[in-house]
Amino acid sequence: MKIVAIIGARPQFIKHFPFELACKGKVELVTIHTGQHYDANMSEVFFNQLKMTQPDYTLHVGSGAHGEQTGKMMIEIEKIIEETKPDGVVVYGDTNSTLAGALVASKMHIPLFHIEAGLRSFNKKMPEEVNRVLTDHISDLLFVPSAISVQNLENEGVRKGVHIVGDIMKDLVQYVTQNDLLREHVPKERNFYYATIHRPYNTDEKDRLKHVLDVLEQLDKKVVFSLHPRTKNLASSYGLNLEDYTNINFIEPQSYFSNLGYLQNSDGLITDSGGMQKEAFWLKKKCVTIRKETEWRETLEDNANVLVFTDLLKIKEELQKLPKKWDETLYGDGASGSKMIDKIIQFLQ
Ligand code: UD1
């Protein structure tokens, strides 16, 4: 049995690793990297650090407007699917690479399997929301992390092929913590908050980005800010001088281990990332999410994660409020990769 997996952006490399491990000895896996993320520290570092197999195909599509980027990916993916004739296609999450792969597979009548299906922010202005809704509606198997996602799909009339398997990112966090792989990557620094901000609604207007940075500058502890290239480029285009922010230590995008290392050592996370809300939960770190809504609604229970968007001055007090408990079972048992591949094999037989 041959499966093609489509990856392209940083969070997908992370999700691909445990899936690749789960496929070993069971199916032939062919990987297409669209090239959506291409900087060494946005892409290559994950392959090297996690010792992942290099992609079989790399498309070098790069950055661009949504239509241009997605269209270019589709043209190239279609050719490879023609050539490799897989029994199924796997896509992860909600990026433009996800949608491109999903559309091609569906139009070529190749069974489509969506890992991290059923998530909803109910905000169609987010490109990710459009990508995930469309992908879910054309997928044959939908692997969801929790009951809320099953309900989201049911509300849209999607019932067939839905399986709760937990979250594949938990597989990896569990693997890394159980094998003590973070040890060498935990920074010496203490007493800081960790921050990552890259979503359009926080970065695409000068006043908004400036306000976010001004609030972080005023926090009671130092902020270590892992700077996505999109945020860096936009800050520079607005004429914001990041060196003026003396309370914020801007660092390059981090490898998987270093990112978790910073999170592990921090006194809390300030983010608009999807995946890091969960990683903070599993590492028992308070998370303040700079968004109006989250797809990961379970993390909001007991205040482990809190949404702050309009009144950013609340970030400070929210970081102090710790939850009474952390549900160790949130998003599965860390074995979702093998559950998914078994369901895929069963489906294709
Ligand atoms: C994409 C995903 C988002 C995910 C994020 C993780 C979509 C619509 N969005 O957003 O869901 O949370 O990845 O990082 O697919 N850039 C570089 N080097 C790179 C990659 C990007 O400089 O290697 C810069 C470019 O200026 C580019 C911008 O970042 O235009 C945005 O990149 P893009 O891939 O379009 O979206 P992300 O913001 O990374």
Side-chain angles (χ1 to χ4, degrees), residues 218-252:
Q218 296 306 323
L219 287 181
D220 55 321
K221 290 184 187 179
K222 194 173 70 183
V223 174
V224 176
F225 191 125
S226 166
L227 195 57
H228 189 292
R230 132 188 276 284
T231 313
K232 187 179 181 179
N233 297 342
L234 287 165
S236 152
S237 74
Y238 303 147
L240 294 175
N241 185 3
L242 298 182
E243 283 171 15
D244 292 344
Y245 293 91
T246 53
N247 191 45
I248 310 178
N249 176 15
F250 292 97
I251 57 172
E252 290 289 309

Side-chain angles (χ1 to χ4, degrees), residues 9-11 36-39 42 63-64 66 69 94-96 127-128 131 198-199 228-230 233:
R10 188 165 58 171
Q36 176 170 353
H37 285 175
Y38 44 87
D39 286 350
M42 297 290 285
S63 304
H66 287 270
Q69 192 181 49
D94 53 23
T95 72
N96 290 345
E128 293 84 0
N131 293 343
H198 72 280
R199 300 271 185 182
H228 189 292
R230 132 188 276 284
N233 297 342

Side-chain angles (χ1 to χ4, degrees), residues 64-78:
H66 287 270
E68 182 195 0
Q69 192 181 49
T70 314
K72 277 188 188 161
M73 289 173 189
M74 285 182 69
I75 293 167
E76 297 306 317
I77 293 171
E78 191 171 62

Side-chain angles (χ1 to χ4, degrees), residues 7 16 20 29-33 43-49 51-58:
I7 54 178
H16 184 61
E20 181 184 281
L29 189 65
V30 175
T31 308
I32 305 177
H33 181 336
S43 172
E44 204 180 302
V45 67
F46 297 95
F47 290 87
N48 295 343
Q49 187 169 69
K51 298 188 176 59
M52 269 156 81
T53 312
Q54 290 299 321
D56 299 281
Y57 299 87
T58 303

